[in-house]
Amino acid sequence: MEHGKCPARQTNTLKARIAMIVARLVVCCCALTLTGCSDSINSGAPGEAAAPVIVRSDAWEPPTLTEAAILAHRILRRQDDRLLLDAVEQRELAREIGPLLSRIRDAYPAVAEINVRAPYAFGELLLTLEPWLFEVVSSLLDGQTGPIVLRTGHTEFDALNERLGLSVVADLFPSSTTAIFYFNEYLDVPAAVTAYATMEGIESAEPNAYLGDGPDIDAVKSKGRWYVVARHAWGDCPSGCINEELYFFIVNGADVERTDRTQAMDRAEFRELVMNRGWY
């Protein structure tokens, strides 16, 4: 299921904004005092399988990431296959990337309008559950306005939800037995998709993907230098951009050097970026 095919969320009303803020505060509170919070809402008998403390909210919106954070997330995902990226590592990398992008744009205004593109909503999964599991999840959430322990009795499902920090079930679609699960922005979405898709009770797992194509930026750091590719793309991008032009930059501290395609493709760092992204 692609982004935009689910019914529109109530994101523009005061009621939705208040609900969203309350949901976030509840999740943060429970995360800080998980044991006490869980005990107070019937977390289960001692020794019972782990399950996440979550809230139900149709008004939920994930946090908006900066383009530096999006690029940091992408870079860290390439380094290993962890289901959850290191939050501190991602924030530190984003703090380095932000000024890096600014230096390139200041030196070469032609790329100033090219931004890092998010391929999907971070921290979200679209899970189509088998009818029996969807009914269990729905019954646990029915009429709930506060935090609950989402313990379905499906031990593997509950344990993975808890391990990945499931905090909000944002929408339920009975006609398709699909739910939107929100974890946090450090979730490695493709890796999580694989983990859920192979599980009993799950018919399919997908990112909440954004439609179309468009300009983008990718980068890699090697031996203290940044190798950056900015992709200018245009022409029917909702269906897949017809045209593209690539700009190549090497950034060493405050120095920004633009190099042409021929020289760039002689370097392994640029070759791997271009080939991995399918840019030509």
Side-chain angles (χ1 to χ4, degrees), residues 91-135:
R91 287 195 295 267
E92 289 178 349
L93 186 57
R95 282 196 291 268
E96 182 177 359
I97 290 172
L100 170 78
L101 296 177
S102 295
R103 287 196 291 273
I104 293 173
R105 288 166 178 154
D106 289 343
Y108 297 92
V111 301
E113 300 303 318
I114 301 176
N115 296 307
V116 181
R117 184 175 183 272
Y120 43 71
F122 285 86
E124 288 188 21
L125 291 181
L126 304 181
L127 298 181
T128 299
L129 311 178
E130 292 185 5
W132 64 268
L133 183 55
F134 185 86
E135 181 60 32

Coordinates of all heavy atoms in Angstrom, one line a residue, residues 91-135:
R91 N 21.9 11.5 15.3 CA 21.8 13.0 15.6 C 23.2 13.6 15.4 O 23.3 14.7 14.8 CB 21.3 13.2 17.0 CG 19.9 12.9 17.3 CD 19.4 13.5 18.6 NE 20.0 12.9 19.7 CZ 19.5 11.8 20.4 NH1 18.3 11.3 20.0 NH2 20.1 11.3 21.4
E92 N 24.2 13.0 15.8 CA 25.6 13.5 15.6 C 25.9 13.6 14.1 O 26.5 14.6 13.7 CB 26.6 12.7 16.4 CG 26.5 12.8 17.9 CD 27.5 11.9 18.6 OE1 28.1 11.1 17.9 OE2 27.7 12.1 19.8
L93 N 25.6 12.6 13.4 CA 25.9 12.6 12.0 C 25.0 13.7 11.3 O 25.5 14.4 10.4 CB 25.5 11.3 11.3 CG 25.9 11.1 9.9 CD1 27.4 11.3 9.6 CD2 25.6 9.6 9.4
A94 N 23.8 13.9 11.7 CA 23.0 15.0 11.1 C 23.5 16.3 11.4 O 23.5 17.2 10.5 CB 21.5 14.8 11.6
R95 N 24.1 16.5 12.6 CA 24.7 17.8 12.9 C 25.9 18.1 12.0 O 26.2 19.3 11.8 CB 25.1 17.8 14.4 CG 23.9 18.1 15.3 CD 24.4 18.5 16.7 NE 25.0 17.4 17.4 CZ 24.4 16.5 18.2 NH1 23.1 16.7 18.4 NH2 25.0 15.6 18.8
E96 N 26.6 17.1 11.6 CA 27.7 17.2 10.7 C 27.2 17.5 9.2 O 27.8 18.3 8.5 CB 28.6 16.0 10.7 CG 29.8 16.1 9.8 CD 30.8 14.9 9.9 OE1 30.5 14.0 10.7 OE2 31.8 14.9 9.2
I97 N 26.2 16.9 8.8 CA 25.7 16.9 7.5 C 25.0 18.3 7.2 O 25.2 18.8 6.1 CB 24.7 15.8 7.2 CG1 25.4 14.5 7.1 CG2 23.9 16.0 5.9 CD1 24.6 13.3 7.0
G98 N 24.3 18.9 8.2 CA 23.6 20.1 7.9 C 24.6 21.2 7.4 O 24.3 21.8 6.3
P99 N 25.7 21.5 8.1 CA 26.6 22.5 7.6 C 27.3 22.1 6.3 O 27.6 23.0 5.5 CB 27.6 22.6 8.7 CG 26.9 22.2 10.0 CD 26.0 21.1 9.5
L100 N 27.5 20.8 6.1 CA 28.1 20.3 4.9 C 27.2 20.7 3.7 O 27.7 21.3 2.7 CB 28.2 18.8 5.0 CG 28.6 18.1 3.7 CD1 30.0 18.2 3.4 CD2 28.2 16.6 3.8
L101 N 25.9 20.5 3.8 CA 25.0 20.9 2.7 C 24.9 22.4 2.5 O 24.9 22.8 1.3 CB 23.6 20.3 3.0 CG 23.4 18.8 3.1 CD1 22.0 18.5 3.5 CD2 23.8 18.1 1.8
S102 N 25.0 23.1 3.5 CA 25.0 24.6 3.4 C 26.2 25.1 2.7 O 26.2 26.0 1.8 CB 24.9 25.2 4.8 OG 23.7 24.9 5.4
R103 N 27.4 24.5 3.0 CA 28.6 24.9 2.3 C 28.6 24.6 0.8 O 29.0 25.5 0.0 CB 29.8 24.2 2.9 CG 30.2 24.7 4.3 CD 31.6 24.2 4.7 NE 31.7 22.8 4.9 CZ 31.4 22.2 6.0 NH1 31.1 22.9 7.1 NH2 31.6 20.9 6.2
I104 N 28.0 23.5 0.4 CA 27.9 23.2 -1.0 C 26.9 24.2 -1.7 O 27.2 24.7 -2.8 CB 27.4 21.7 -1.2 CG1 28.4 20.7 -0.7 CG2 27.0 21.5 -2.7 CD1 27.9 19.3 -0.7
R105 N 25.8 24.5 -1.1 CA 24.8 25.4 -1.7 C 25.4 26.8 -1.8 O 25.1 27.5 -2.7 CB 23.5 25.3 -0.9 CG 22.8 24.0 -1.1 CD 21.7 23.8 -0.1 NE 21.0 22.5 -0.4 CZ 20.4 21.8 0.5 NH1 20.3 22.2 1.8 NH2 19.7 20.7 0.2
D106 N 26.1 27.2 -0.8 CA 26.7 28.5 -0.8 C 27.7 28.6 -1.9 O 27.8 29.7 -2.6 CB 27.4 28.9 0.5 CG 26.4 29.1 1.7 OD1 25.2 29.3 1.3 OD2 26.8 29.0 2.8
A107 N 28.5 27.6 -2.1 CA 29.6 27.6 -3.2 C 29.0 27.4 -4.6 O 29.5 28.0 -5.5 CB 30.6 26.5 -2.9
Y108 N 27.9 26.7 -4.7 CA 27.3 26.4 -6.0 C 25.8 26.6 -5.9 O 25.0 25.6 -5.7 CB 27.7 24.9 -6.4 CG 29.1 24.7 -6.6 CD1 29.9 24.3 -5.5 CD2 29.8 25.0 -7.8 CE1 31.3 24.1 -5.6 CE2 31.1 24.8 -7.9 CZ 31.9 24.4 -6.9 OH 33.3 24.2 -7.0
P109 N 25.3 27.8 -6.1 CA 23.9 28.1 -6.0 C 23.0 27.3 -6.9 O 21.8 27.2 -6.7 CB 23.8 29.6 -6.3 CG 25.2 30.1 -6.0 CD 26.1 29.0 -6.3
A110 N 23.6 26.7 -8.0 CA 22.8 26.0 -9.0 C 22.1 24.7 -8.3 O 21.1 24.3 -8.8 CB 23.7 25.5 -10.1
V111 N 22.7 24.3 -7.2 CA 22.1 23.1 -6.5 C 21.3 23.5 -5.3 O 20.9 22.6 -4.5 CB 23.2 22.1 -6.2 CG1 23.9 21.6 -7.4 CG2 24.2 22.6 -5.2
A112 N 21.1 24.8 -5.1 CA 20.4 25.2 -3.9 C 19.0 24.7 -3.7 O 18.5 24.5 -2.6 CB 20.4 26.8 -3.8
E113 N 18.4 24.4 -4.8 CA 17.0 23.9 -4.8 C 16.9 22.4 -4.7 O 15.7 21.9 -4.7 CB 16.2 24.5 -6.0 CG 16.1 26.0 -6.0 CD 15.6 26.6 -4.8 OE1 14.5 26.1 -4.3 OE2 16.1 27.6 -4.3
I114 N 18.0 21.7 -4.7 CA 17.9 20.3 -4.6 C 18.0 19.9 -3.2 O 18.9 20.2 -2.5 CB 19.1 19.6 -5.4 CG1 19.1 20.1 -6.9 CG2 19.1 18.1 -5.3 CD1 20.2 19.6 -7.7
N115 N 17.0 19.1 -2.7 CA 16.9 18.7 -1.3 C 17.0 17.2 -1.2 O 16.8 16.4 -2.2 CB 15.6 19.2 -0.7 CG 15.5 20.7 -0.7 OD1 16.4 21.3 -0.2 ND2 14.5 21.2 -1.2
V116 N 17.3 16.7 0.0 CA 17.3 15.3 0.3 C 15.9 14.8 0.3 O 15.0 15.4 1.0 CB 18.0 15.0 1.7 CG1 18.0 13.5 2.0 CG2 19.4 15.6 1.7
R117 N 15.6 13.8 -0.4 CA 14.2 13.3 -0.5 C 14.0 12.1 0.4 O 14.7 11.1 0.3 CB 14.0 12.9 -2.0 CG 12.6 12.5 -2.3 CD 12.4 12.3 -3.8 NE 11.0 11.9 -4.1 CZ 10.5 10.7 -4.1 NH1 11.3 9.7 -3.8 NH2 9.3 10.4 -4.4
A118 N 12.9 12.1 1.1 CA 12.5 11.0 1.9 C 11.7 10.0 1.1 O 10.8 10.4 0.4 CB 11.7 11.4 3.1
P119 N 12.1 8.7 1.1 CA 11.4 7.7 0.3 C 10.1 7.2 0.9 O 9.2 6.7 0.2 CB 12.4 6.6 0.1 CG 13.2 6.7 1.4 CD 13.3 8.1 1.7
Y120 N 10.0 7.4 2.2 CA 8.8 6.9 2.9 C 8.7 7.6 4.2 O 9.6 8.4 4.7 CB 8.9 5.4 3.2 CG 10.2 4.9 3.6 CD1 10.7 5.2 4.9 CD2 11.1 4.2 2.8 CE1 12.0 4.8 5.3 CE2 12.3 3.8 3.2 CZ 12.8 4.1 4.4 OH 14.0 3.7 4.8
A121 N 7.5 7.5 4.9 CA 7.4 8.1 6.2 C 8.2 7.3 7.2 O 8.1 6.1 7.4 CB 5.9 8.0 6.6
F122 N 9.1 8.0 7.9 CA 10.0 7.4 8.8 C 9.3 6.9 10.1 O 8.4 7.6 10.6 CB 11.1 8.3 9.2 CG 12.1 8.5 8.1 CD1 12.0 9.4 7.1 CD2 13.3 7.7 8.1 CE1 12.9 9.6 6.1 CE2 14.2 7.8 7.1 CZ 14.0 8.7 6.1
G123 N 9.7 5.7 10.5 CA 9.1 5.1 11.7 C 7.7 4.5 11.6 O 7.2 4.0 12.5
E124 N 7.2 4.4 10.3 CA 5.9 3.9 10.1 C 5.9 2.6 9.3 O 6.8 2.4 8.4 CB 5.0 4.8 9.3 CG 4.5 6.0 10.1 CD 3.5 6.9 9.4 OE1 2.9 6.3 8.4 OE2 3.4 8.1 9.7
L125 N 5.0 1.7 9.6 CA 4.8 0.5 8.8 C 3.4 0.3 8.6 O 2.5 0.5 9.4 CB 5.4 -0.8 9.6 CG 6.9 -0.9 9.8 CD1 7.1 -2.3 10.5 CD2 7.6 -0.9 8.5
L126 N 3.0 -0.1 7.4 CA 1.7 -0.6 7.0 C 1.7 -2.1 7.1 O 2.3 -2.8 6.3 CB 1.3 -0.1 5.6 CG 1.4 1.4 5.3 CD1 1.0 1.6 3.8 CD2 0.6 2.2 6.2
L127 N 0.9 -2.6 8.1 CA 0.9 -4.0 8.3 C -0.5 -4.5 8.0 O -1.5 -4.1 8.5 CB 1.2 -4.4 9.8 CG 2.6 -4.0 10.3 CD1 2.7 -4.5 11.7 CD2 3.7 -4.6 9.4
T128 N -0.6 -5.4 7.0 CA -1.9 -6.1 6.7 C -1.9 -7.4 7.5 O -1.0 -8.3 7.2 CB -2.0 -6.4 5.2 OG1 -2.0 -5.1 4.5 CG2 -3.3 -7.1 4.9
L129 N -2.8 -7.5 8.4 CA -2.8 -8.7 9.3 C -3.8 -9.7 8.8 O -4.8 -9.4 8.2 CB -3.2 -8.2 10.7 CG -2.5 -7.0 11.3 CD1 -3.0 -6.7 12.7 CD2 -1.0 -7.3 11.4
E130 N -3.5 -10.9 9.2 CA -4.5 -12.0 8.9 C -5.8 -11.6 9.8 O -5.6 -11.0 10.9 CB -4.0 -13.3 9.3 CG -2.9 -13.8 8.3 CD -2.4 -15.2 8.6 OE1 -3.0 -15.9 9.4 OE2 -1.4 -15.6 7.9
P131 N -7.0 -12.0 9.3 CA -8.2 -11.5 10.0 C -8.2 -11.8 11.4 O -8.7 -11.0 12.2 CB -9.3 -12.3 9.2 CG -8.7 -12.4 7.8 CD -7.2 -12.7 8.0
W132 N -7.7 -13.0 11.9 CA -7.8 -13.3 13.3 C -6.9 -12.4 14.1 O -7.3 -12.0 15.2 CB -7.4 -14.8 13.5 CG -6.0 -15.1 13.2 CD1 -5.5 -15.6 12.0 CD2 -4.8 -15.0 14.0 NE1 -4.1 -15.7 12.1 CE2 -3.7 -15.4 13.3 CE3 -4.7 -14.6 15.4 CZ2 -2.4 -15.4 13.8 CZ3 -3.4 -14.6 15.9 CH2 -2.3 -15.0 15.2
L133 N -5.7 -12.0 13.6 CA -4.9 -11.1 14.4 C -5.4 -9.7 14.3 O -5.3 -9.0 15.3 CB -3.4 -11.2 13.8 CG -2.4 -10.4 14.5 CD1 -2.3 -10.8 16.0 CD2 -1.0 -10.6 13.9
F134 N -5.9 -9.3 13.2 CA -6.5 -8.0 13.1 C -7.7 -7.8 14.1 O -7.8 -6.8 14.8 CB -7.1 -7.7 11.7 CG -7.6 -6.3 11.5 CD1 -6.7 -5.2 11.2 CD2 -8.9 -6.0 11.7 CE1 -7.2 -3.9 11.1 CE2 -9.4 -4.7 11.6 CZ -8.5 -3.7 11.2
E135 N -8.5 -8.9 14.3 CA -9.6 -8.9 15.2 C -9.1 -8.8 16.6 O -9.7 -8.0 17.5 CB -10.4 -10.1 15.0 CG -11.7 -10.2 16.0 CD -12.6 -9.1 15.8 OE1 -12.8 -8.6 14.6 OE2 -13.3 -8.6 16.8

